[in-house]
Amino acid sequence: MHPSIRTTIFWNIFLLMLAAVFLISFVVLQVTGQEIMKQRVSAGEGIYFSIHTAITRLITSNASSFQSPSPQSELQQLVALFAKNPGISHIQVINDEQVIVADSEENNIGQRASDSDIIQAREMKELVKKIRSSEPGQQKQLILCSSLYREIMIPMGMLTVVFSLTEADQQIAQSKKMLITYILFDAAILILFGTWLLCRYLVNPVNKIIRLTEQIARGELDSSVYLTDRNEIGQLSASLSRMAERLNEEKQKVLEQIRILEEKNRQLQQAQQEVIQSEKLASVGRLAAGVAHEIGNPIGIILGYIQLLLTRQLDEQEKTDCLQRMNAETERVNAIIRNLLDYAQPSAEHREALDLNRIIEETHALVSYQKNYRNIDVSFDLEQKIPPVMGDEKLLRQILVNLTFNALDAMAQGGTLAYKTALAQVAEKTFVAFTLTDSGTGITPDNLNKIFDPFFTTKEPGKGTGLGLSNVQRIVDAMGGKIKVSSSPGQGTAFTVLFPVIKT
């Protein structure tokens, strides 16, 4: 789960403030420590010069105390007096021969000085200032050292004063604590207040805009829900509101167009059904002519038996025989007419599993009553193990009738008609392939790509509507199948229809 923008902003501000606090604290503490130390050095210099002046005056007025070191000398007493200052750790006076003539520690009087600071001050002829620790981990000390002059620019010895920096270190440490506490407190206030401000002026408006966009995505195009701020976020919200208004307008237009398209589609479907039915009625007309001829013989036979029953005296056995023959012929006529009516009547589409071989045989029986069918040699090559196909039986019969009529029209002088079914694999899919082949006149290459166009026909005026093959293609497409044709002038035509099999 990704963190929210509120959490992201808070942690970014926190990290930035932490880095800023660290840098500011480092710089401030360094500067504060330097300033405190500078003040302490300045104060130490003032005290040092006071001691230096007093000792110089004493040496000028009483040079014997400088030449004869003694714990009871006036110079030693003066050094001991200055050493009582709480900020002074050590005072030492040496003569020109580097012998200690006065020291805050009396045990050192009369000893030879070997401090490198004294040598350095003597060589530089100026005040030497150093800060150092007497031992590692101990408090720092300020060491001031310079020459003593009997007369102007005539050195006669050295004065060294060591100041304790413990108080300065304590003051620096206390200042560090105060500064760190103050900076952390300020940082906490800035983080909390900055987070609150960002949430109020950025995060909360952004969340409102997110909710607004989610409403728009759900189709809730209420343009009244937007921010009134005059900043960039308010402008973005206003833009989203205007977009919602336009989307709402477009939505209403789309809904209206959908309603119009639905009405047009309903009308188109109705027109298609009417076209299909009209084409079916045209086929029924042709079938009816064959049926009328076919039922003539049974009716003639029936009339003959009726006449026989009326004009002759027949025994019971003969009467029964006549009635049975009349019943058989009547059943024959009834079956022919029923098949024709089942094909002709309109019905709602009903999809079911169909045995394609059975429907081919029954449709052939219905079409076989046609007069020009007598000169046709019919062959069947039906695969017995093909799976059932899904579709409407009446529409499937219409496909077979239309294709058969086209084949018969192409073989007006007689020919060969072949029905074939088999399994076929196309693009890794299994189909049941139905092929109807005739030995008729064929189709020219110019017309081969037009035969499925509505109202296109090569027949003489009055002998075709041009909708038969167009309806065949539409029905095949509706069943999820495919239809293709191969033909050459004078070589006949083969229509192949691929029906998708039912998945088991």
Side-chain angles (χ1 to χ4, degrees):
M1 182 178 180
H2 297 289
S4 63
I5 188 173
R6 188 192 305 270
T7 304
T8 303
I9 290 176
F10 173 81
W11 284 111
N12 279 278
I13 292 177
F14 177 79
L15 293 175
L16 289 174
M17 290 301 301
L18 188 64
V21 166
F22 176 79
L23 293 175
I24 293 173
S25 301
F26 178 78
V27 174
V28 171
L29 292 176
Q30 291 295 324
V31 172
T32 301
Q34 292 176 2
E35 287 296 324
I36 292 175
M37 193 61 67
K38 187 184 294 183
Q39 293 176 4
R40 188 67 186 93
V41 170
S42 179
E45 289 180 354
I47 295 173
Y48 177 84
F49 284 120
S50 298
I51 297 174
H52 187 280
T53 301
I55 292 176
T56 300
R57 290 177 180 175
L58 178 62
I59 292 173
T60 302
S61 60
N62 188 3
S64 60
S65 60
F66 190 74
Q67 298 297 331
S68 302
S70 171
Q72 289 77 30
S73 66
E74 186 177 0
L75 178 60
Q76 176 62 29
Q77 294 177 3
L78 181 61
V79 167
L81 179 63
F82 281 122
K84 293 180 180 180
N85 191 311
I88 298 176
S89 298
H90 187 211
I91 300 177
Q92 187 180 77
V93 180
I94 63 175
N95 57 19
D96 193 37
E97 297 176 354
Q98 296 186 10
V99 176
I100 299 174
V101 295
D103 198 301
S104 56
E105 297 177 3
E106 293 182 358
N107 296 332
N108 295 329
I109 297 174
Q111 297 181 7
R112 188 171 184 84
S114 60
D115 196 331
S116 60
D117 294 328
I118 297 174
I119 299 173
Q120 182 180 4
R122 185 173 183 181
E123 292 175 353
M124 295 180 64
K125 297 182 180 180
E126 61 181 17
L127 179 63
V128 175
K129 295 179 287 185
K130 280 194 176 184
I131 296 176
R132 70 181 181 185
S133 296
S134 57
E135 294 179 5
Q138 298 296 324
Q139 295 295 330
K140 295 179 182 179
Q141 293 178 334
L142 172 63
I143 300 175
L144 298 178
C145 182
S146 65
S147 300
L148 295 171
Y149 297 95
R150 181 185 304 113
E151 296 178 0
I152 297 175
M153 299 307 292
I154 299 176
M156 57 179 294
M158 302 293 295
L159 170 63
T160 301
V161 180
V162 180
F163 295 90
S164 174
L165 296 179
T166 301
E167 184 178 355
D169 289 338
Q170 292 175 351
Q171 186 178 358
I172 290 172
Q174 186 177 3
S175 298
K176 286 182 178 180
K177 292 180 181 179
M178 290 181 62
L179 284 172
I180 291 174
T181 302
Y182 175 75
I183 291 173
L184 290 177
F185 180 74
D186 286 348
I189 292 178
L190 289 174
I191 291 173
L192 295 176
F193 188 67
T195 303
W196 178 77
L197 287 177
L198 285 172
C199 290
R200 178 178 179 182
Y201 293 107
L202 180 61
V203 178
N204 294 337
V206 167
N207 287 333
K208 290 181 180 179
I209 291 177
I210 291 174
R211 290 194 295 271
L212 178 59
T213 55
E214 289 176 348
Q215 290 180 0
I216 294 174
R218 292 194 300 267
E220 301 174 6
L221 305 176
D222 185 5
S223 60
S224 62
V225 183
Y226 67 94
L227 304 178
T228 57
D229 300 337
R230 297 184 178 180
N231 53 20
E232 289 80 358
I233 294 180
Q235 294 174 3
L236 176 59
S237 177
S239 298
L240 288 174
S241 177
R242 290 192 296 270
M243 182 183 71
E245 291 179 357
R246 289 193 292 270
L247 287 175
N248 194 24
E249 294 174 358
E250 294 298 326
K251 179 181 178 181
Q252 297 302 322
K253 292 180 181 179
V254 169
L255 291 176
E256 179 64 19
Q257 291 296 324
I258 290 174
R259 186 191 65 79
I260 295 173
L261 289 174
E262 287 176 347
E263 178 63 22
K264 296 294 184 184
N265 186 51
R266 185 190 65 78
Q267 295 175 0
L268 180 60
Q269 289 179 349
Q270 182 178 356
Q272 287 178 341
Q273 293 299 326
E274 293 174 355
V275 169
I276 292 173
Q277 188 62 21
S278 66
E279 180 63 22
K280 182 185 290 186
L281 292 176
S283 301
V284 168
R286 295 186 61 177
L287 291 172
V291 167
H293 176 74
E294 184 68 19
I295 65 177
N297 292 332
I299 291 176
I301 294 172
I302 293 171
L303 289 174
Y305 283 119
I306 292 174
Q307 187 67 29
L308 184 63
L309 290 172
L310 291 174
T311 59
R312 294 186 181 183
Q313 295 295 326
L314 301 175
D315 58 22
E316 291 299 325
Q317 179 63 33
E318 291 175 335
K319 288 181 180 180
T320 301
D321 184 63
C322 287
L323 290 174
Q324 289 177 347
R325 292 177 182 274
M326 290 170 62
N327 182 70
E329 295 298 328
T330 303
E331 289 293 337
R332 178 183 174 190
V333 172
N334 181 59
I336 294 172
I337 295 175
R338 187 172 59 250
N339 288 337
L340 179 62
L341 292 176
D342 288 341
Y343 174 76
Q345 67 180 358
S347 62
E349 183 176 350
H350 175 66
R351 297 174 67 86
E352 58 183 337
L354 302 175
D355 182 355
L356 182 59
N357 289 342
R358 176 185 63 81
I359 296 173
I360 291 173
E361 292 172 349
E362 292 177 357
T363 303
H364 164 259
L366 182 62
V367 178
S368 64
Y369 304 139
Q370 300 300 305
K371 183 186 300 185
N372 55 349
Y373 209 83
R374 302 292 186 268
N375 300 322
I376 303 299
D377 293 329
V378 182
S379 65
F380 294 91
D381 183 10
L382 305 181
E383 175 65 42
Q384 297 302 315
K385 296 183 180 180
I386 60 172
V389 299
M390 180 65 70
D392 182 87
E393 183 171 346
K394 290 183 173 58
L395 294 178
L396 184 54
R397 289 179 183 274
Q398 188 171 349
I399 293 174
L400 299 176
V401 168
N402 285 350
L403 291 178
T404 302
F405 277 162
N406 277 331
L408 293 178
D409 291 340
M411 297 184 295
Q413 305 302 321
T416 301
L417 188 64
Y419 294 90
K420 180 180 180 181
T421 58
L423 284 176
Q425 293 286 334
V426 178
E428 298 183 356
K429 293 183 179 180
T430 304
F431 293 87
V432 173
F434 162 69
T435 303
L436 181 61
T437 306
D438 66 70
S439 59
T441 57
I443 305 172
T444 63
D446 293 340
N447 294 332
L448 197 59
N449 294 328
K450 303 176 184 178
I451 60 174
F452 294 110
D453 294 343
F455 306 105
F456 175 80
T457 180
T458 58
K459 299 175 183 178
E460 297 178 3
K463 292 188 177 182
T465 62
L467 294 174
L469 290 179
S470 176
N471 280 331
V472 167
Q473 185 181 48
R474 192 197 68 80
I475 297 171
V476 170
D477 291 341
M479 294 178 63
K482 300 177 182 180
I483 184 170
K484 53 186 178 180
V485 59
S486 60
S487 180
S488 298
Q491 301 296 321
T493 303
F495 283 92
T496 300
V497 182
L498 300 177
F499 298 102
V501 301
I502 298 177
K503 296 181 180 179
T504 58

